[in-house]
Amino acid sequence: MVADTVCVIFGIYALAAGLGMVIEPGRATRVLDEFDTSPALAYVTGAFMFFLGAAVLALVDDFATVTRGITTVLAAGMIIESLLMLAWPKPIFALARWMVPEDDHVRGFGLVTMAFGLVIAVLGIV
C-alpha cells in the first residue's frame, strides 16, 4: 500500500516536473544557477531529501513486488543524492549542467521524465 502510494506521488511529481521542462526549458538552467549561488538552498534541500528518503526507506525496503522495488530504489537514490548535496554538491550540479546544455536537451529530458512518471504512477494505481 505505501509503495503504491509513493509510486503514484512520485509519478505525479515526475509528470509535473517533466511538463515544466517541456513548457519552459530555460527554467532548468535558472534553477541550477540558484543552487550554485545559494549553498543554503542546496543544504536545506539535501537535508529535506535525506529525511524524506530515509522515512520512505524505513517503510519500504525490499523487492517483493514491482512497486516495492521501485520505491526502494527511489528512496535509496534520494538518500545518496541528498548526502552528496549535503557534503559535495558541485559534482551533482556539474552533471546536471552537462546533461542539459541547451533547451532541446531539456525538453528531451522533460519528455523522458514525463514518460517515466506516467509509468510509475500507473504501476502504483494498478
Side-chain angles (χ1 to χ4, degrees):
M1 177 72 179
V2 171
D4 296 337
T5 303
V6 169
C7 281
V8 171
I9 290 169
F10 192 86
I12 292 169
Y13 157 77
L15 281 165
L19 185 60
M21 285 187 266
V22 170
I23 292 171
E24 191 180 351
R27 190 170 60 177
T29 302
R30 291 194 307 273
V31 168
L32 286 172
D33 290 342
E34 289 293 324
F35 273 115
D36 272 344
T37 59
S38 176
L41 179 61
Y43 187 87
V44 169
T45 301
F48 180 75
M49 282 176 53
F50 174 78
F51 286 108
L52 186 60
V56 171
L57 196 60
L59 296 171
V60 181
D61 64 349
D62 61 53
F63 294 87
T65 66
V66 171
T67 55
R68 289 182 73 84
I70 291 168
T71 301
T72 299
V73 169
L74 289 174
M78 285 176 66
I79 291 171
I80 292 166
E81 183 180 4
S82 68
L83 291 174
L84 282 171
M85 285 186 74
L86 289 169
W88 194 30
K90 293 292 182 187
I92 293 174
F93 303 144
L95 177 64
R97 286 188 191 285
W98 175 78
M99 292 172 68
V100 290
E102 53 192 52
D103 287 354
D104 287 343
H105 287 88
V106 175
R107 284 190 176 100
F109 275 102
L111 291 172
V112 170
T113 301
M114 289 173 65
F116 177 72
L118 182 62
V119 169
I120 299 299
V122 168
L123 284 173
I125 292 170
V126 181

